[in-house]
Amino acid sequence: MLIDTHIHSDTRGLEDLELMAMCLDGVITLAHDPFEMKNVKVWEAHVEKLLNGEIERAKKVGLNLFVCVGMHPRAIPPEVDEALNKIRDYINHDKVVGIGEIGLEKATKEEREVFIKQLLLAEESKLPAVVHTPRRNKEEITKIILDEISTLNLKNSNIVIEHCNKETVKWALDAGFYAGLTVQPGKLTPLEAVEIIKENKDFANKILLNSDCSSNPSDVLAVPGTVLKMKIEGIGKEIIDKVSQKNALELFNLKV
Ligand SMILES: [Zn+2]
């Protein structure tokens, strides 16, 4: 069984969803930044498309699609509190498995406020939170993210720090959170992900693999491809199973 924990299905053609359905037992699609969120209605239309259109479209080709809802740091509408109330409704949907993707892009005051509000909402609703870290200034912004989280004294440590690199993965794991490894051009190669997993094998129960496939150059088969590389590199079955399915099934309570 294989799970891709972070995709953006609404950016991919049906052929790609079908390819994923052939190789994966479940995928999680997350709210992101397809438009400038000029007002809350634009943001709502995006999230509702994931909940209605995307679940149906995936079903047609046999892909088991789960959804995370939230405000991406590059897609914050002006009416933040209205959007938060909407998230409270959306999480009742039986395919919603988390809040995301949230996080920081430039760490502006507005981004931080919206990030904190969504972390508190995840805590209150006992759902995992999926936290984006940016390509630019990844180290600096990841530090700010971890600082912001630590000041909240959350009981919920079901937080995924996404798109970790060789360095930030250690910070996320040391802080007690999950680390998402994204195998995508410009992020990690399959072999780099394998190296990170080898180096952090004591934390194998906190690592999640994904493709983040989007409108950027992506590999929709990044998870099966990396699993193959792990086998070639001699990583044990137990670790492979954890990072490619078991951790995701437990954290997001996926019914596959
Ligand atoms: Zn993403």
Side-chain angles (χ1 to χ4, degrees):
M1 184 180 287
L2 292 177
I3 309 288
D4 188 335
T5 55
H6 190 132
I7 75 164
H8 299 290
S9 67
D10 53 316
T11 64
R12 311 298 305 193
L14 202 59
E15 297 84 354
D16 281 348
L17 302 195
E18 192 165 26
L19 205 52
M20 284 191 265
M22 289 178 198
C23 306
L24 294 157
D25 299 276
V27 298
I28 303 174
T29 200
L30 295 95
H32 63 119
D33 62 334
F35 312 110
E36 188 186 336
M37 300 300 176
K38 288 185 193 262
N39 63 55
V40 74
K41 291 283 169 209
V42 179
W43 174 83
E44 278 176 36
H46 166 52
V47 177
E48 285 169 19
K49 186 182 179 211
L50 301 182
L51 293 175
N52 301 316
E54 287 305 292
I55 290 172
E56 274 310 303
R57 207 163 68 95
K59 204 168 152 191
K60 244 185 248 167
V61 292
L63 180 65
N64 195 3
L65 184 102
F66 300 92
V67 182
C68 286
V69 295
M71 283 174 272
H72 188 288
R74 294 192 304 257
I76 300 171
E79 308 91 334
V80 168
D81 291 327
E82 229 176 285
L84 284 167
N85 280 333
K86 275 285 180 184
I87 295 174
R88 286 193 175 86
D89 291 341
Y90 296 143
I91 58 179
N92 296 316
H93 191 293
D94 63 355
K95 284 281 190 173
V96 170
V97 295
I99 305 288
E101 60 187 294
I102 61 175
L104 301 178
E105 180 70 26
K106 294 182 179 153
T108 61
K109 188 167 171 281
E110 185 201 26
E111 279 185 17
R112 290 185 198 210
E113 282 172 7
V114 175
F115 176 45
I116 289 170
K117 284 181 176 178
Q118 294 187 100
L119 283 171
L120 294 172
L121 180 55
E123 165 112 331
E124 162 197 322
S125 43
K126 297 191 171 58
L127 283 172
V130 181
V131 179
H132 161 93
T133 65
R135 292 187 192 219
R136 284 178 67 118
N137 304 325
K138 187 177 288 290
E139 283 82 8
E140 187 193 331
I141 305 279
T142 301
K143 274 190 187 144
I144 297 173
I145 285 173
L146 293 172
D147 281 352
E148 290 284 3
I149 298 174
S150 72
T151 57
L152 296 176
N153 285 318
L154 300 173
K155 284 184 209 71
N156 175 15
S157 58
N158 284 342
I159 294 174
V160 186
I161 307 298
E162 266 301 353
H163 321 317
C164 288
N165 65 20
K166 209 169 157 24
E167 182 144 28
T168 63
V169 71
K170 292 190 197 302
W171 306 343
L173 294 171
D174 282 341
F177 303 128
Y178 287 79
L181 299 183
T182 299
V183 175
Q184 186 186 29
K187 289 184 183 137
L188 299 172
T189 65
L191 213 51
E192 282 168 342
V194 173
E195 286 305 319
I196 290 175
I197 291 164
K198 273 188 187 168
E199 274 172 32
N200 297 279
K201 56 178 182 304
D202 294 346
F203 292 96
N205 54 346
K206 292 277 186 162
I207 295 174
L208 301 165
L209 272 180
N210 60 66
S211 67
D212 196 10
C213 61
S214 66
S215 52
N216 288 321
S218 306
D219 176 3
V220 291
L221 300 183
V223 171
T226 306
V227 165
L228 182 61
K229 275 276 187 296
M230 284 193 279
K231 287 180 185 163
I232 296 168
E233 293 294 312
I235 293 187
K237 185 178 184 308
E238 204 186 324
I239 292 180
I240 295 178
D241 286 352
K242 283 181 180 175
V243 304
S244 63
Q245 42 144 313
K246 202 164 169 270
N247 298 343
L249 294 173
E250 286 173 8
L251 174 64
F252 294 101
N253 193 20
L254 303 181
K255 309 273 181 276
V256 294

